[in-house]
Amino acid sequence: MVKEMHIPDNYLSPSTCAVMGAAMIPIWTIAVKKVKKEITKAKIPLLGIGAAFSFLLMMFNVPIPGGTTAHAVGGTLLAILIGPFSACISITVALLIQTLLFGDGGVLAFGANCFNMAFVLPFLGYFIYKFIKDRAKSEKGEYAGIILGSYFGINVAALCAAIEFGIQPLLFKNAAGQALYSPYPLSVSIPAMTIPHLLVAGVVEVVFTVGIYSFIKKVSPGTIFEGAKKKTHAIYGLIVALICLTPIGLLATGTAWGEWGSDEIKMSYPGGMLWDMFPKE
Amino acid sequence: MKNGFSLKTLMPDYSIKGLPDVAGYILSAVAGVAIALILFKIISSLVKSKTGSSHS
């Protein structure tokens, strides 16, 4: 079983991968500079906690009608807790672990996956959150910001992945006109990626974001950076609880649209109907 | 696509050979979390503390 929104290798052309990777280099450079400047030595381990949360949330696969799965990322949550630049680095590390250790997401597609999930998601989610929170100036307003930020953050990230898939058959064909990489045009990839995210994954992202944010706020009324011992214990407790609950993610069988293994791609291809595009296990 | 690039990983698809799915999945979660936490601990220990701040 492979997970949603992690683009595997050989679905994007090497040139697309290179462009996405090149786009990430200045973003990573600025993020590292910002974190170096703004975060003290003692607080760097919080980025590890952020990476752990994101890694775990991505393990909770939820079933989507049609036989695929989707999952949360926690991008907006991390951006709110540790800032968008730190969130970018934390999610990048979570994605790196998934790629290298678990084969989840391609090595060549790493830049594209980071662009969608470690850049677009946390920065857009944080921008929406901050925009609403600064204007509403109440607890209700803050939660409205969290809900809308996390919902739109993950949905726009999914749309980015859909566009990266969808431009492949437009740009890369062999002499016979057959697609060299992902064969699905934008008219297929956009609904196939965005509908499950609008209906399911977006809601799961909101639930996790609000739930974990309120939990951390409850155990420590200050910011996450004002580290009291008691609070860190509660956060580690939450991580252990999430680890124990991860097998729930196994209940959702099937492979996410856009995350097929190499054995699954062929049988899902020539359908034409959207329904046929979803590999059934 | 058959001849495409593919990386052989240690725990493909969050499973460990010979272990039931649930055990493999939980161990994958433990491994991922441990690597994330340890990596940033190491980075933190490598970073020089800013002048004036206390060493802990």
Side-chain angles (χ1 to χ4, degrees):
Chain A
M1 179 176 54
V2 201
K3 298 184 302 169
E4 175 82 347
M5 223 203 290
H6 291 60
I7 301 170
D9 275 325
N10 310 319
Y11 284 81
L12 302 184
S13 74
S15 56
T16 310
C17 293
V19 167
M20 302 308 284
M24 279 313 290
I25 288 170
I27 297 167
W28 282 323
T29 310
I30 293 167
V32 168
K33 271 191 190 150
K34 279 260 177 193
V35 169
K36 260 187 172 168
K37 209 168 137 191
E38 288 166 10
I39 291 173
T40 62
K41 178 183 165 79
K43 287 168 187 170
I44 290 175
L46 289 171
L47 271 68
I49 291 177
F53 271 125
S54 181
F55 178 85
L56 286 173
L57 294 192
M58 291 192 266
M59 290 189 78
F60 286 89
N61 301 297
V62 285
I64 303 283
T68 69
T69 68
H71 62 78
V73 177
T76 306
L77 172 72
L78 264 58
I80 295 169
L81 292 176
I82 58 179
F85 291 98
S86 299
C88 176
I89 294 173
S90 292
I91 299 167
T92 297
V93 167
L95 293 173
L96 188 67
I97 295 170
Q98 292 175 328
T99 298
L100 295 182
L101 199 58
F102 303 104
D104 192 11
V107 175
L108 299 178
F110 184 66
N113 284 321
C114 286
F115 184 87
N116 304 334
M117 288 184 272
F119 171 60
V120 172
L121 202 180
F123 279 91
L124 178 68
Y126 186 77
F127 176 81
I128 295 172
Y129 159 77
K130 195 93 169 75
F131 186 87
I132 295 172
K133 188 196 159 198
D134 290 350
R135 273 152 194 81
K137 294 197 168 79
S138 66
E139 203 183 21
K140 257 190 195 159
E142 185 179 17
Y143 276 96
I146 295 171
I147 291 167
L148 293 173
S150 53
Y151 184 75
F152 284 104
I154 196 165
N155 274 294
V156 174
L159 178 63
C160 289
I163 293 170
E164 290 151 24
F165 278 124
I167 59 173
Q168 300 306 312
L170 287 175
L171 298 177
F172 309 103
K173 284 180 200 135
N174 64 14
Q178 292 167 313
L180 289 170
Y181 308 101
S182 182
Y184 310 111
L186 288 164
S187 60
V188 174
S189 68
I190 290 179
M193 278 300 282
T194 55
I195 292 169
H197 282 87
L198 287 166
L199 296 180
V200 185
V203 178
V204 177
E205 180 89 347
V206 168
V207 169
F208 271 125
T209 306
V210 170
I212 295 174
Y213 179 81
S214 346
F215 174 84
I216 289 175
K217 214 178 166 190
K218 213 172 169 184
V219 293
S220 93
T223 67
I224 189 178
F225 282 131
E226 264 99 79
K229 259 259 151 64
K230 191 181 135 212
K231 182 198 69 189
T232 12
H233 283 177
I235 291 174
Y236 283 127
L238 178 59
I239 288 175
V240 171
L242 286 172
I243 289 174
C244 297
L245 291 172
T246 50
I248 293 172
L250 282 171
L251 295 175
T253 53
T255 300
W257 199 95
E259 296 198 357
W260 321 273
S262 51
D263 50 329
E264 292 162 302
I265 171 66
K266 288 296 172 198
M267 67 183 190
S268 70
Y269 174 42
M273 295 274 292
L274 188 60
W275 192 257
D276 292 336
M277 296 299 168
F278 295 109
K280 302 264 196 308
E281 179 60 336
Chain B
M1 212 161 298
K2 248 176 243 162
N3 305 316
F5 178 85
S6 153
L7 180 81
K8 290 266 174 290
T9 54
L10 206 57
M11 300 156 93
D13 288 350
Y14 303 88
S15 63
I16 298 168
K17 257 203 177 129
L19 279 186
D21 283 354
V22 170
Y25 211 61
I26 290 177
L27 284 176
S28 296
V30 171
V33 167
I35 293 169
L37 296 179
I38 292 166
L39 184 73
F40 281 101
K41 283 264 181 203
I42 293 171
I43 293 172
S44 162
S45 73
L46 293 176
V47 169
K48 285 194 192 103
S49 52
K50 285 178 186 120
T51 45
S53 64
S54 61
H55 294 261
S56 51

